[in-house]
Protein backbone atom coordinates (compact mmCIF):
# COMPACT_ATOMS: atom_id res chain seq x y z
CA UNK A 1 0.00 0.00 0.00
CA UNK A 2 1.41 3.34 -0.99
CA UNK A 3 1.27 6.16 1.53
CA UNK A 4 1.79 9.78 0.59
CA UNK A 5 4.15 12.04 2.52
CA UNK A 6 2.10 14.61 4.39
CA UNK A 7 3.38 17.95 5.71
CA UNK A 8 3.42 16.67 9.29
CA UNK A 9 5.65 13.72 8.36
CA UNK A 10 7.93 15.95 6.28
CA UNK A 11 8.22 18.38 9.19
CA UNK A 12 9.11 15.55 11.58
CA UNK A 13 11.83 14.27 9.26
CA UNK A 14 13.20 17.80 8.88
CA UNK A 15 13.37 18.22 12.65
CA UNK A 16 15.22 14.91 12.97
CA UNK A 17 17.79 16.00 10.40
CA UNK A 18 18.25 19.47 11.90
CA UNK A 19 18.41 18.09 15.43
CA UNK A 20 20.99 15.47 14.45
CA UNK A 21 23.29 17.97 12.73
CA UNK A 22 22.76 20.50 15.51
CA UNK A 23 23.80 17.90 18.06
CA UNK A 24 26.85 16.92 16.01
CA UNK A 25 27.97 20.56 15.68
CA UNK A 26 27.74 21.42 19.36
CA UNK A 27 28.37 18.11 21.12
CA UNK A 28 31.73 17.86 22.89
CA UNK A 29 34.19 16.00 20.69
CA UNK A 30 37.59 14.60 21.51
CA UNK A 31 40.46 16.46 19.77
CA UNK A 32 42.30 13.17 19.26
CA UNK A 33 39.75 10.41 19.61
CA UNK A 34 41.11 7.00 20.34
CA UNK A 35 39.58 5.14 17.41
CA UNK A 36 39.19 1.53 18.31
CA UNK A 37 36.74 -1.25 17.60
CA UNK A 38 34.51 -0.57 20.61
CA UNK A 39 32.33 2.11 18.97
CA UNK A 40 32.10 -0.06 15.85
CA UNK A 41 30.75 -2.93 17.96
CA UNK A 42 28.07 -0.65 19.42
CA UNK A 43 27.14 0.60 15.94
CA UNK A 44 27.02 -2.95 14.59
CA UNK A 45 24.77 -4.14 17.42
CA UNK A 46 22.49 -1.14 16.80
CA UNK A 47 22.29 -1.72 13.04
CA UNK A 48 21.67 -5.47 13.34
CA UNK A 49 19.05 -5.08 16.08
CA UNK A 50 17.14 -2.33 14.29
CA UNK A 51 17.39 -4.23 11.01
CA UNK A 52 15.91 -7.39 12.54
CA UNK A 53 13.10 -5.42 14.19
CA UNK A 54 12.36 -3.60 10.94
CA UNK A 55 12.09 -6.91 9.09
CA UNK A 56 9.74 -8.20 11.78
CA UNK A 57 7.58 -5.07 11.58
CA UNK A 58 7.51 -5.13 7.78
CA UNK A 59 6.54 -8.79 7.75
CA UNK A 60 3.74 -8.11 10.25
CA UNK A 61 2.52 -5.19 8.14
CA UNK A 62 2.52 -7.27 4.94
CA UNK A 63 0.67 -10.13 6.60
CA UNK A 64 -1.92 -7.64 7.87
CA UNK A 65 -2.41 -6.17 4.40
CA UNK A 66 -2.75 -9.67 2.95
CA UNK A 67 -5.34 -10.61 5.59
CA UNK A 68 -7.33 -7.44 4.84
CA UNK A 69 -7.21 -8.26 1.15
CA UNK A 70 -8.53 -11.77 1.88
CA UNK A 71 -11.36 -10.45 4.03
CA UNK A 72 -12.49 -7.92 1.44
CA UNK A 73 -12.22 -10.46 -1.36
CA UNK A 74 -14.25 -13.04 0.52
CA UNK A 75 -16.86 -10.52 1.61
CA UNK A 76 -17.41 -9.65 -2.05
CA UNK A 77 -17.64 -13.35 -2.85
CA UNK A 78 -20.14 -13.82 -0.03
CA UNK A 79 -22.23 -11.08 -1.56
CA UNK A 80 -22.06 -12.42 -5.12
CA UNK A 81 -22.78 -16.04 -4.16
CA UNK A 82 -25.79 -15.01 -2.08
CA UNK A 83 -26.95 -12.81 -4.95
CA UNK A 84 -26.70 -15.81 -7.26
CA UNK A 85 -28.87 -17.78 -4.85
CA UNK A 86 -31.48 -15.03 -4.79
CA UNK A 87 -31.70 -15.18 -8.57
CA UNK A 88 -32.39 -18.92 -8.50
CA UNK A 89 -35.59 -18.49 -6.55
CA UNK A 90 -37.65 -15.62 -5.22
CA UNK A 91 -37.71 -17.44 -1.89
CA UNK A 92 -34.12 -16.35 -1.25
CA UNK A 93 -34.58 -12.68 -2.17
CA UNK A 94 -35.71 -11.38 1.25
CA UNK A 95 -32.84 -13.31 2.86
CA UNK A 96 -30.36 -11.83 0.36
CA UNK A 97 -31.72 -8.31 0.92
CA UNK A 98 -31.10 -8.63 4.67
CA UNK A 99 -27.64 -10.11 4.13
CA UNK A 100 -26.77 -7.25 1.80
CA UNK A 101 -27.86 -4.83 4.50
CA UNK A 102 -25.62 -6.48 7.09
CA UNK A 103 -22.58 -6.43 4.78
CA UNK A 104 -23.28 -2.82 3.83
CA UNK A 105 -23.60 -1.85 7.49
CA UNK A 106 -20.36 -3.60 8.44
CA UNK A 107 -18.29 -1.97 5.71
CA UNK A 108 -19.91 1.45 6.22
CA UNK A 109 -18.79 1.47 9.85
CA UNK A 110 -15.25 2.17 8.64
CA UNK A 111 -16.42 5.54 7.35
CA UNK A 112 -17.09 6.58 10.95
CA UNK A 113 -13.80 5.46 12.53
CA UNK A 114 -10.31 4.52 11.42
CA UNK A 115 -8.89 1.00 11.42
CA UNK A 116 -7.85 1.20 15.08
CA UNK A 117 -11.54 0.58 15.91
CA UNK A 118 -11.55 -2.71 13.97
CA UNK A 119 -12.13 -4.85 17.03
CA UNK A 120 -15.27 -2.88 17.95
CA UNK A 121 -16.99 -4.07 14.75
CA UNK A 122 -17.24 -7.70 15.90
CA UNK A 123 -20.97 -7.43 16.48
CA UNK A 124 -21.54 -6.13 12.95
CA UNK A 125 -19.66 -9.07 11.47
CA UNK A 126 -21.54 -11.56 13.66
CA UNK A 127 -24.77 -10.25 12.16
CA UNK A 128 -23.42 -11.30 8.76
CA UNK A 129 -22.25 -14.75 9.82
CA UNK A 130 -25.39 -15.54 11.83
CA UNK A 131 -27.64 -14.45 8.99
CA UNK A 132 -25.96 -16.89 6.60
CA UNK A 133 -27.33 -19.75 8.70
CA UNK A 134 -30.90 -18.41 8.47
CA UNK A 135 -31.08 -19.19 4.75
CA UNK A 136 -34.39 -20.81 3.68
CA UNK A 137 -34.52 -24.56 3.08
CA UNK A 138 -32.84 -25.67 -0.14
CA UNK A 139 -33.77 -28.58 -2.35
CA UNK A 140 -31.71 -28.37 -5.54
CA UNK A 141 -28.13 -29.59 -5.88
CA UNK A 142 -26.98 -26.17 -7.15
CA UNK A 143 -28.53 -24.40 -4.19
CA UNK A 144 -26.82 -26.77 -1.77
CA UNK A 145 -23.47 -26.31 -3.55
CA UNK A 146 -23.79 -22.53 -3.33
CA UNK A 147 -24.70 -22.77 0.35
CA UNK A 148 -21.60 -24.91 0.99
CA UNK A 149 -19.58 -22.20 -0.76
CA UNK A 150 -21.20 -19.60 1.49
CA UNK A 151 -20.20 -21.55 4.60
CA UNK A 152 -16.59 -21.90 3.44
CA UNK A 153 -16.40 -18.22 2.51
CA UNK A 154 -17.87 -17.10 5.84
CA UNK A 155 -15.37 -19.30 7.66
CA UNK A 156 -12.49 -17.81 5.67
CA UNK A 157 -13.64 -14.28 6.51
CA UNK A 158 -13.84 -15.16 10.21
CA UNK A 159 -10.31 -16.59 10.11
CA UNK A 160 -9.02 -13.49 8.30
CA UNK A 161 -10.65 -11.24 10.90
CA UNK A 162 -9.05 -13.17 13.74
CA UNK A 163 -5.65 -12.93 12.08
CA UNK A 164 -6.13 -9.20 11.47
CA UNK A 165 -6.94 -8.59 15.13
CA UNK A 166 -3.93 -10.60 16.29
CA UNK A 167 -1.55 -8.86 13.90
CA UNK A 168 -2.91 -5.42 14.77
CA UNK A 169 -2.33 -6.03 18.48
CA UNK A 170 1.06 -7.70 18.00
CA UNK A 171 3.14 -4.54 18.29
CA UNK A 172 6.59 -4.40 19.80
CA UNK A 173 6.25 -4.45 23.58
CA UNK A 174 7.06 -1.60 25.95
CA UNK A 175 10.15 -3.46 27.16
CA UNK A 176 11.42 -3.79 23.60
CA UNK A 177 10.98 -0.07 23.02
CA UNK A 178 12.89 0.68 26.23
CA UNK A 179 15.70 -1.54 24.93
CA UNK A 180 15.60 0.30 21.59
CA UNK A 181 15.81 3.67 23.39
CA UNK A 182 18.80 2.59 25.43
CA UNK A 183 20.49 1.09 22.37
CA UNK A 184 19.91 4.30 20.41
CA UNK A 185 21.42 6.37 23.21
CA UNK A 186 24.43 4.03 23.23
CA UNK A 187 24.76 4.38 19.46
CA UNK A 188 24.64 8.19 19.60
CA UNK A 189 27.19 8.09 22.45
CA UNK A 190 29.49 5.87 20.38
CA UNK A 191 29.20 8.26 17.42
CA UNK A 192 30.00 11.19 19.70
CA UNK A 193 33.08 9.51 21.13
CA UNK A 194 34.36 8.58 17.67
CA UNK A 195 33.64 12.00 16.13
CA UNK A 196 36.77 14.13 15.47
CA UNK A 197 36.70 17.81 16.38
CA UNK A 198 36.73 18.93 12.74
CA UNK A 199 34.01 20.21 10.45
CA UNK A 200 34.22 17.11 8.27
CA UNK A 201 34.12 14.87 11.32
CA UNK A 202 31.11 16.67 12.78
CA UNK A 203 29.25 16.50 9.46
CA UNK A 204 29.94 12.77 9.29
CA UNK A 205 28.73 12.44 12.87
CA UNK A 206 25.59 14.37 12.00
CA UNK A 207 24.85 12.00 9.11
CA UNK A 208 25.43 8.99 11.37
CA UNK A 209 23.13 10.27 14.12
CA UNK A 210 20.47 11.28 11.58
CA UNK A 211 20.59 7.84 9.93
CA UNK A 212 20.09 6.11 13.28
CA UNK A 213 17.23 8.40 14.32
CA UNK A 214 15.51 8.07 10.93
CA UNK A 215 15.74 4.28 11.22
CA UNK A 216 14.05 4.40 14.63
CA UNK A 217 11.39 6.77 13.29
CA UNK A 218 10.71 4.37 10.42
CA UNK A 219 10.50 1.44 12.84
CA UNK A 220 7.98 3.35 14.96
CA UNK A 221 5.79 4.22 11.97
CA UNK A 222 5.77 0.65 10.64
CA UNK A 223 5.23 -0.92 14.06
CA UNK A 224 2.42 1.47 15.06
CA UNK A 225 0.84 1.33 11.58
CA UNK A 226 -0.09 4.96 12.17
CA UNK A 227 0.02 5.82 8.47
CA UNK A 228 -2.16 2.80 7.60
CA UNK A 229 -5.15 3.44 9.84
CA UNK A 230 -7.08 5.77 7.51
CA UNK A 231 -5.93 4.03 4.31
CA UNK A 232 -7.08 0.59 5.51
CA UNK A 233 -10.46 1.92 6.62
CA UNK A 234 -10.88 3.59 3.22
CA UNK A 235 -10.48 0.22 1.48
CA UNK A 236 -13.57 -1.06 3.28
CA UNK A 237 -15.54 2.08 2.49
CA UNK A 238 -14.52 1.87 -1.17
CA UNK A 239 -15.89 -1.66 -1.33
CA UNK A 240 -19.33 -0.40 -0.26
CA UNK A 241 -19.64 1.39 -3.61
CA UNK A 242 -18.66 -1.82 -5.42
CA UNK A 243 -21.42 -3.74 -3.66
CA UNK A 244 -23.99 -1.07 -4.46
CA UNK A 245 -22.95 -1.13 -8.11
CA UNK A 246 -23.20 -4.90 -8.19
CA UNK A 247 -26.67 -4.78 -6.67
CA UNK A 248 -27.92 -2.40 -9.35
CA UNK A 249 -26.51 -4.65 -12.02
Amino acid sequence: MQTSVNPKAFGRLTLIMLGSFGYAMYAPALPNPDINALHLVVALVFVVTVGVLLMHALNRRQRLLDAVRVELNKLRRLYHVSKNLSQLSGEFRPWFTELHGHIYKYMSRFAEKDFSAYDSFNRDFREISYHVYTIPAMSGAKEQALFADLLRTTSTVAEARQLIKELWDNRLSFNVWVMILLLTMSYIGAVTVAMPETMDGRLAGGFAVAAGCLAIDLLWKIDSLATEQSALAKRYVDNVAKLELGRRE
Side-chain angles (χ1 to χ4, degrees), residues 18 27 48 51 58 62 70 113 117 119-120 126 135 167 170 186 211 213 215 230 246:
L18 292 177
V48 171
L58 285 169
Q62 187 58 53
V70 169
K113 301 178 181 179
D119 202 36
S120 66
R126 283 196 296 268
I135 189 171
L167 289 171
N170 191 27
S186 299
C213 292
S230 297

Side-chain angles (χ1 to χ4, degrees), residues 122-172:
N122 289 341
R123 181 176 180 180
D124 299 279
F125 173 72
R126 283 196 296 268
E127 291 179 352
I128 297 174
S129 59
Y130 290 166
H131 188 73
V132 170
Y133 295 100
T134 66
I135 189 171
M138 294 163 290
S139 56
K142 184 175 181 180
E143 294 174 353
Q144 293 176 357
L146 289 175
F147 179 61
D149 194 341
L150 281 177
L151 294 180
R152 288 193 299 270
T153 303
T154 304
S155 175
T156 302
V157 175
E159 292 173 1
R161 278 185 52 80
Q162 182 61 35
L163 179 59
I164 289 170
K165 288 186 286 185
E166 291 176 0
L167 289 171
W168 185 264
D169 295 334
N170 191 27
R171 292 190 55 183
L172 296 177

